[in-house]
Amino acid sequence: MRVLVIGSGAREHALVLALRRDPGVSAVVAAPGNPGMAQQAQLRAVDPCSAEAVVALATEVAADLVVIGPEVPLVLGIADAVRAAGIACFGPSAAAARIEGSKAFAKDVMAAAGVRTAHSEVVDHPGELDAALDRFGPTWVVKDDGLAAGKGVVVTTDRLAARDHGAELLEQGHPVLLESFLDGPEVSLFCLVDGETVVPLLPAQDHKRVGNGDTGPNTGGMGAYTPLPWLPPETVTEVVDGVVKPVAAEMVRRGVPFSGLLYAGLAIGPAGPAVVEFNCRFGDPETQAVLALLDSPLGALLHATATGALAQAEAPRWQDGAAVTVVLAAENYPGRPRTGDVITGTEGAEPNTEVLHAGTSLRADGALLSGGGRVLNVVATGADLAAARDRAYARIAAIKLPGSHYRTDIALAAVEGRISIPAAHV
């Protein structure tokens, strides 16, 4: 099977690596890809948001399967165009991708499916903002109703900060979603979904805030780990049966069946799991940790999902142990990042570790340069979280990029037993 992966980040690099481990995959093409993928895949230039360009490339390289990594091409309907050309595609239709593209749409689906989520209101006029804010708090959750790469969310106990963020979004012409705050630790659960067939992958936890101790502004994700030693094993079944399957069934009922990766972002509170958000694709950086432990052929799983055969596919198998991903970010990220600096220390292979490229480019003389906000990911596996953490941080310490920063506490609270689910109030 020949696979074309669309995208250029560390998530797509992780997908490429996992596909190369699948004996049923004969070739991987990454478009546009990044310098780190060049040893595992043929790189081709493409505009991921051009349906015509993606279909032309998939046809040219004789792809048996197209895997679309980022959310924007999915929301724009690139998967529809690939399927219309008769090529199997892993990724939902534009209509189904609205589960991420419009938070208001996702709320409507959850309400119809009877799924627990935060109370919410959409504000689309500045004159309505203050009155709406008065109906929320003492912790305000203010979101961009559209796609924001994880950075359009403010969670704060400061009403003025909440108002400023909402006003800024409205000034930019973006509707604002206000939500009640959901208590409890967050979990990311990826599920392969083929209509009403749901197959969960390993649960993971992302670290969204830029600073240690979950301080500072939200980012696209500064690190992740799996598995979650503090999460009761039955929770995954509870989420699949009480959240993902009802939502998948509701999408089918609406005539927009979901096919691809449905990502449930959850808060595990006193009353059980509640949905924070849905995404229509593999999450970044959780994918990097989850796929590091996958022991099944990824290509076979994705192809079965894309072709309506997931119900007949073998269940995913997992390696023992744990995986940790740490993100190296450029100076000033998540603000406007400094780019164009030389990166050193990525060369050489270390056992049980991978350096995945997220935002890099090559200079004419072959030097590796920073090219985005999140520049590199270090992914490490180990017998347990502590061992995986030690390997990841030993590896990232050897990488040099002027002004760069990374969190030093990824998975630390889990290792130290400091994460717990709030008890129900009697």
Side-chain angles (χ1 to χ4, degrees):
M1 176 167 56
R2 297 176 58 82
V3 183
L4 170 61
V5 176
I6 301 297
S8 60
R11 165 186 48 216
E12 289 77 32
H13 196 169
L15 286 164
V16 166
L17 285 174
L19 287 164
R20 292 300 303 176
R21 296 197 300 265
D22 182 344
V25 173
S26 56
V28 179
V29 179
N34 63 44
M37 300 183 201
Q39 292 183 342
Q40 301 97 23
Q42 178 190 353
L43 304 188
R44 296 293 298 270
V46 79
D47 176 358
C49 296
S50 167
E52 183 180 1
V54 172
V55 169
L57 179 59
T59 303
E60 180 190 339
V61 302
D64 300 296
L65 174 68
V66 175
V67 178
I68 300 177
E71 61 272 24
V72 174
L74 292 168
V75 170
L76 292 175
I78 306 303
D80 301 84
V82 172
R83 279 190 282 268
I87 302 168
C89 185
F90 183 85
S93 65
R98 289 184 68 205
I99 196 87
E100 178 172 2
S102 168
K103 295 178 179 66
F105 173 78
K107 291 288 186 183
D108 187 57
V109 170
M110 284 186 274
V115 168
R116 289 185 65 244
T117 187
H119 167 68
S120 66
E121 289 185 33
V122 175
V123 179
D124 55 13
H125 190 279
E128 301 168 355
L129 182 59
D130 281 308
L133 286 167
D134 289 341
R135 293 190 284 273
F136 291 83
T139 298
W140 285 269
V141 181
V142 186
K143 297 182 176 182
D144 187 331
D145 185 50
L147 297 176
K151 292 179 284 187
V153 182
V154 163
V155 180
T156 181
T157 56
D158 183 340
R159 188 185 187 282
L160 182 59
R163 188 187 190 284
D164 286 348
H165 185 58
E168 181 183 359
L169 291 173
L170 290 166
E171 190 175 308
Q172 295 168 358
H174 298 192
V176 171
L177 188 76
L178 298 180
E179 288 188 339
S180 57
F181 178 69
L182 293 173
D183 193 20
E186 292 196 6
V187 171
S188 301
L189 184 66
F190 300 165
C191 292
L192 300 172
V193 176
D194 165 16
E196 294 195 40
T197 302
V198 175
V199 175
L201 305 184
L202 288 180
Q205 187 176 60
D206 182 13
H207 294 62
K208 280 289 186 190
R209 302 252 186 189
V210 71
N212 284 354
D214 295 323
T215 57
N218 269 3
T219 71
M222 294 299 293
Y225 68 95
T226 187
L228 311 182
W230 50 268
L231 188 71
E234 63 272 15
T235 306
V236 169
T237 301
E238 186 180 351
V239 171
V240 168
D241 292 344
V243 174
V244 185
K245 284 185 175 179
V247 164
E250 175 62 18
M251 299 284 278
V252 169
R253 190 190 69 78
R254 293 178 179 222
V256 287
F258 194 95
S259 172
L261 194 291
L262 187 58
Y263 164 141
L266 307 144
I268 312 298
V275 176
V276 175
E277 64 177 355
F278 279 110
N279 290 338
C280 65
R281 38 69 195 187
F282 278 103
D284 184 343
E286 300 99 315
T287 298
Q288 291 85 300
V290 170
L291 291 186
L293 295 181
L294 182 67
D295 202 32
S296 294
L298 178 64
L301 283 168
L302 302 188
H303 190 267
T305 306
T307 56
L310 183 59
Q312 289 77 49
E314 182 184 350
R317 301 184 309 275
W318 303 98
Q319 299 174 27
D320 293 334
V324 172
T325 301
V326 183
V327 173
L328 181 75
E331 182 177 346
N332 199 43
Y333 178 80
R336 182 183 294 276
R338 171 174 161 164
T339 59
D341 288 308
V342 174
I343 307 163
T344 59
T346 62
E347 307 82 6
E350 296 288 336
N352 304 106
T353 63
E354 294 282 358
V355 177
L356 305 183
H357 291 226
T360 64
S361 63
L362 285 180
R363 201 165 60 189
D365 63 0
L368 185 65
L369 304 179
S370 59
R374 292 186 296 172
V375 180
L376 296 168
N377 291 186
V378 171
V379 185
T381 57
D384 53 27
L385 278 178
R389 257 182 58 83
D390 289 347
R391 282 186 177 135
Y393 280 109
R395 185 68 186 89
I396 203 168
I399 299 172
K400 305 302 178 188
L401 169 64
S404 64
H405 59 97
Y406 56 88
R407 282 183 59 162
T408 60
D409 64 346
I410 303 301
L412 183 60
V415 169
E416 295 180 346
R418 293 187 282 110
I419 302 179
S420 60
I421 297 169
H425 297 294
V426 180

